[in-house]
Amino acid sequence: IGAEDLGYYQLAFSLALLPAYEIARSLSGVFFPLFSRLKESRDRLIDVFSRISRVMLLVIFPTSIGLYVLADPIVRLLYGERWLPIIPLLGPLIVYGVVKTIEYLLTPILLGAGHSKITTLSIGVQGIVMLSTMLPLIHMYGIMGVPYSLLLSVILAVSTMGIVFLRTFHVRLET
C-alpha cells in the first residue's frame, strides 16, 4: 500500500466512523457512573441499559445506513471526484463503526458491574486479531484488507463482551 491508499483509508475511516464516534463514544463516558450507581438493582440497570441502547442504535443505524446509501453524492459534494476511491472502503468501515457502538455500550456496563478484566481482554483480542490478520488481508485485498481486519477484530471482541454481558446479567435474547 502506498501513501495515496493510506490517505484514502484515513478519510474513509474518519467519515465512516463519524456517527459512532461522535455519538456513542462521547456518551459512553457518562454511562459508567450511571451504570455503577445502578449495579445494585439488576432490573433497573438492565432497563436503563436497554433504553439507552435502543435510542443510540435508533440514531446510529439509520445514520450509518444513510451514509452508506448516499456515499457517492456525499463524497462528491464534500471532497470532490479525486476522493471517490474511498467509497468501497466505507462499507466495512461503517459496519465497524456500528459494532464499535455496541462495544461503547457494553464497556461501561461491564466495568460498572466489576468486569474490568473482560474489557481489558476485549482490547487484547482486538489487538491480537488485528496484528495477525492485517498483513495477510492487505496482501490478499490491498487497502480493503485494513477495514476487513478491523471488522473481524471488533466482531470477535464484542461477541465475547456480549456473552459475558448475557451471562452476568442473566439476560435472555428474545426471538
Side-chain angles (χ1 to χ4, degrees):
I1 345 181
E4 186 175 40
D5 282 338
L6 291 176
Y8 291 141
Y9 171 78
Q10 178 60 40
L11 183 59
F13 185 88
S14 298
L15 181 59
L17 271 65
L18 196 62
Y21 274 25
E22 293 304 317
I23 298 167
R25 192 175 69 162
S26 60
L27 290 176
S28 68
V30 175
F31 298 151
F32 175 68
L34 174 65
F35 294 152
S36 292
R37 278 192 314 233
L38 296 173
K39 74 179 178 183
E40 301 306 321
S41 172
R42 179 198 163 277
D43 292 338
R44 179 86 174 115
L45 177 61
I46 296 301
D47 180 56
V48 169
F49 176 78
S50 295
R51 288 179 194 211
I52 289 170
S53 298
R54 274 190 229 117
V55 168
M56 283 184 60
L57 293 173
L58 280 172
V59 171
I60 291 169
F61 274 170
T63 305
S64 297
I65 291 168
L67 178 58
Y68 178 74
V69 169
L70 298 172
D72 187 273
I74 288 171
V75 170
R76 285 177 194 276
L77 178 68
L78 295 178
Y79 306 110
E81 303 268 329
R82 179 192 184 307
W83 294 98
L84 290 177
I86 75 167
I87 293 172
L89 292 164
L90 289 174
L93 287 172
I94 289 169
V95 174
Y96 172 77
V98 170
V99 177
K100 252 338 221 186
T101 299
I102 298 166
E103 179 185 33
Y104 293 144
L105 289 164
L106 288 171
T107 297
I109 196 167
L110 290 172
L111 286 173
H115 287 284
S116 59
K117 288 181 182 176
I118 193 66
T119 58
T120 303
L121 176 66
S122 168
I123 293 167
V125 166
Q126 288 183 58
I128 291 168
V129 172
M130 277 191 283
L131 285 173
S132 62
T133 62
M134 185 82 63
L135 289 178
L137 289 173
I138 288 172
H139 182 72
M140 291 169 50
Y141 301 106
I143 194 67
M144 288 298 295
V146 177
Y148 293 154
S149 176
L150 289 175
L151 188 54
L152 182 60
S153 71
V154 78
I155 287 172
L156 289 173
V158 169
S159 297
T160 303
M161 293 174 78
I163 290 167
V164 170
F165 169 77
L166 294 172
R167 288 184 178 164
T168 298
F169 295 102
H170 310 288
V171 175
R172 294 190 185 273
L173 297 177
E174 297 176 18
T175 55

